[in-house]
Amino acid sequence: MAQFLKKLQSLHIKLVVIYVLLIIIGMQIIGLYFTNNLEKKLTYNFEQTINTQIKSINYDLKNVYRQNKDDKTAIQKEVQKIVDEYAVRSNIDVIRFINTDEKIIATNKDSNQGTINPKVNDSQIQNSLSLGKTNDRIQLKDEPTRKVRVWVKNFPIKDSNKIIGVIHIEESIEPVYEQLNDINKIFIIGTGVSLLITIILGFFISRTITKPISDMRNQAIEMSKGNYTNRVKVYGNDEIGELAVTFNNLSKRVQEAQANTESEKRRLDSVITYMSDGVIATDRRGRVRIVNEMALRMLDMNKDEVEGRHVLDILNIEEHYSLDELQDIAGGIIIDMNETEKLIVRASFRTIIQDTGFITGYIAVLHDVTEQHHVENERREFVANVSHELRTPLTSMRSYIEALEEGAWQDEKLAPQFLSVTREETDRMIRLVNDLLQLSKMDNTDDHLNKELIDFNMFIHKIINRFEMSEGKNATFIRDIPKNGIFVEIDPDKMTQVFDNVISNALKYSKGKKKVEFHVKQNTLFNRMTIQIKDNGIGIPLTKVDKIFDRFFRVDKARTRKMGGTGLGLAISKEIVEAHNGRIWANSKEGYGTSVYITLPCEVLDDGDWDV
């Protein structure tokens, strides 16, 4: 059924239907015009025949009234004779004469003789008598087998502008309509034959038009599927033939353009896919249509979550910017994409504009500036910290020097104290500058390591012994160090500096009886060793443990500065350990001490490895 309905919607059937409808409409217009005019003509002829008879009766009746004056009996007899004569002559169905008293004084029907002299009860006859105007109508009249149409006319008779009566005539007009029906039947039969011939010719004629169009339709369907190799057959040199030639040329051009487009698309896809920047392309409303893998990684979304959404929504900046505003920002905007991973990108927006000036879409390029942003922040923070660290001792020195200039140098008690503080602040600045120089060398890889293969157990024992001698009974050192040697390749001076910094901090921030524990373990499977240095100090808040190796970071700035620290010791230690391919970190619980862990690569040597 569906296929049948589809065939009915084809161009071939439509052309035939249109062709047939045009013929039907044309013939109907002609038939309607012909039938209406014929009906008017036949009706007019019928009416003219009756009017001719009425004029003759009118003339004769006037003479009867003039000749007989007031003799009503004579008038009635003469009028009856005239009515009977005209009824026979003209074959009129009913002829009656009604006088001014509204009485029928003559009629042509024998069966109606009994109706003579009674008054009529016909409003049309009464209007004609009272107004002196002719009126007529067509009415249905019952016959034994059917109803027929009868033409009824009332014609007033006047003598010297005085109405003397009305002639009432009834004549069947049915033959006129029967004649019209016969003519209509002939016309309908002729129309049917014409339509049959028209339909047959229409199918042949429409096929000559629809066959090449159908071929072009099939080729267009193949082109929509990506097949541009087929060509349409040219049936002639007319307009449709020229259309077929043009269609073939179009198919060839589209095939070439498609090949070029596919090539450019593959090239563009490769460029976009392997770009180090994220790329998002949208339509003119800002809905995402294309997004590369780098952008998906930056957004931490998959392709289905991004496509179709507004670009400002997925970048979470719809409350602050509109697409029109972003076009005017030359350097782009900085967006914090992922707070957990601290990903920061610079988003630059450009419009895709046609030659006509119509905007068809937007391009957003996301460039990862996390490292750059982090470095910039560190640089600003470093400059601020250095300025602050230098300003504090310089301010103190200036105050003491000004006091000495104002006469304090003459005071034997104050002058030595002021000079002592000035020297301490000078030493502190020297230490700070030396630490900064050392960090600068390590950052620029100018500070080379002088590595030696040493027994780490002996190395750490020497460092602990030195601190035991300097601290005496003020501190307790607990050693958990294996007896077997652990051999590492390190720079002894640099690593001594690391352990000095860590142990000094453990002693500085211990509370009550100072105690420092040393635990050394070796992992022979991975050829690495771990050193744990644990104190019983005040501890470090959990939120600040990861920051103690940052430059100039202090948990308690006032206490650290009072103890003479520069805030660079652990930062230098971290640089040295990482230069040895190691790692340093800390665990702490506030009020329960701190543990610093250092891992270094180590080697397991047999006795034979020492033979020369």
Side-chain angles (χ1 to χ4, degrees), residues 118-236:
K119 294 185 71 172
V120 296
N121 193 20
D122 190 331
S123 61
Q124 298 293 326
I125 295 175
Q126 292 171 352
N127 288 337
S128 183
L129 282 172
S130 61
L131 300 176
K133 293 183 180 181
T134 302
N135 58 65
D136 56 9
R137 69 183 185 276
I138 296 177
Q139 66 181 24
L140 291 176
K141 188 175 182 181
D142 293 328
E143 288 191 352
T145 57
R146 60 174 181 166
K147 289 185 177 182
V148 297
R149 282 167 282 197
V150 176
W151 189 60
V152 180
K153 185 166 184 175
N154 299 301
F155 185 82
I157 299 174
K158 298 179 182 179
D159 185 18
S160 301
N161 293 327
K162 182 180 178 183
I163 297 175
I164 59 176
V166 172
I167 298 175
H168 176 78
I169 291 179
E170 296 180 10
E171 176 64 23
S172 174
I173 198 172
E174 195 67 32
V176 173
Y177 288 98
E178 289 177 353
Q179 186 178 2
L180 282 172
N181 289 335
D182 293 338
I183 294 173
N184 285 335
K185 289 178 181 178
I186 295 172
F187 185 78
I188 291 171
I189 293 171
T191 302
V193 174
S194 300
L195 286 177
L196 181 62
I197 297 173
T198 300
I199 291 172
I200 296 172
L201 291 175
F203 273 102
F204 284 104
I205 295 172
S206 64
R207 183 168 179 78
T208 60
I209 299 173
T210 59
K211 184 61 172 67
I213 295 177
S214 178
D215 292 345
M216 284 185 276
R217 181 202 63 182
N218 295 333
Q219 175 58 18
I221 293 174
E222 291 297 320
M223 289 174 64
S224 67
K225 297 177 181 178
N227 181 12
Y228 303 97
T229 58
N230 296 336
R231 295 293 180 265
V232 178
K233 183 179 178 181
V234 181
Y235 291 93

Side-chain angles (χ1 to χ4, degrees), residues 76 80 96-107 109-122 125-126 129 166 168:
Q76 185 174 3
Q80 184 65 51
R96 293 175 184 168
F97 181 73
I98 298 94
N99 63 9
T100 56
D101 295 331
E102 299 182 4
K103 292 182 178 181
I104 301 174
I105 63 172
T107 180
K109 290 291 185 180
D110 293 339
S111 59
N112 291 331
Q113 290 297 325
T115 62
I116 294 176
N117 290 326
K119 294 185 71 172
V120 296
N121 193 20
D122 190 331
I125 295 175
Q126 292 171 352
L129 282 172
V166 172
H168 176 78

Side-chain angles (χ1 to χ4, degrees), residues 403-404 406-419:
L404 290 171
E406 291 174 358
W409 63 272
Q410 296 177 354
D411 191 325
E412 294 181 356
K413 292 183 179 180
L414 291 178
Q417 294 178 7
F418 286 2
L419 291 174

Side-chain angles (χ1 to χ4, degrees), residues 454-458 482-487 522 603-605:
I454 64 173
D455 184 349
F456 183 80
N457 292 345
M458 296 176 61
K483 294 181 179 180
N484 297 329
I486 302 175
F487 296 94
Q522 180 182 15
E603 298 182 14
V604 180
L605 300 178

Side-chain angles (χ1 to χ4, degrees), residues 408-570:
W409 63 272
Q410 296 177 354
D411 191 325
E412 294 181 356
K413 292 183 179 180
L414 291 178
Q417 294 178 7
F418 286 2
L419 291 174
S420 176
V421 171
T422 303
R423 181 182 57 78
E424 290 175 359
E425 294 297 337
T426 303
D427 292 340
R428 179 182 169 191
M429 284 193 295
I430 292 172
R431 288 195 303 272
L432 176 61
V433 172
N434 289 334
D435 288 344
L436 290 174
L437 289 174
Q438 184 173 356
L439 281 174
S440 177
K441 288 181 180 180
M442 298 184 72
D443 289 340
N444 296 325
T445 66
D446 291 337
D447 194 15
H448 299 289
L449 298 177
N450 298 316
K451 290 184 178 182
E452 299 177 11
L453 187 63
I454 64 173
D455 184 349
F456 183 80
N457 292 345
M458 296 176 61
F459 173 75
I460 193 67
H461 278 302
K462 289 181 180 180
I463 296 176
I464 298 172
N465 292 336
R466 177 160 47 85
F467 275 95
E468 282 184 337
M469 290 182 64
S470 62
E471 293 293 329
K473 295 180 180 181
N474 295 327
T476 302
F477 295 89
I478 299 174
R479 312 185 192 199
D480 179 18
I481 302 172
K483 294 181 179 180
N484 297 329
I486 302 175
F487 296 94
V488 294
E489 190 174 7
I490 59 175
D491 185 330
D493 293 337
K494 294 290 191 299
M495 289 306 300
T496 299
Q497 185 179 357
V498 171
F499 287 107
D500 284 349
N501 286 331
V502 175
I503 297 171
S504 296
N505 286 337
L507 294 171
K508 282 180 186 178
Y509 300 107
S510 292
K511 61 181 179 177
K513 179 68 175 179
K514 298 179 182 179
K515 183 176 70 173
V516 182
E517 300 179 15
F518 296 86
H519 302 276
V520 179
K521 294 182 180 179
Q522 180 182 15
N523 188 336
T524 57
L525 182 62
F526 296 99
N527 290 339
R528 294 191 73 83
M529 61 173 295
T530 303
I531 307 100
Q532 178 187 5
I533 302 173
K534 182 180 179 182
D535 61 46
N536 64 338
I538 59 177
I540 303 171
L542 186 61
T543 56
K544 299 181 178 181
V545 172
D546 295 335
K547 299 180 180 180
I548 63 174
F549 296 98
D550 294 343
R551 300 177 183 184
F552 293 108
F553 179 81
R554 295 185 178 92
V555 178
D556 186 347
K557 295 184 179 181
R559 182 175 179 182
T560 305
R561 188 173 289 111
K562 183 178 179 180
M563 293 180 177
T566 63
L568 296 174
L570 290 180

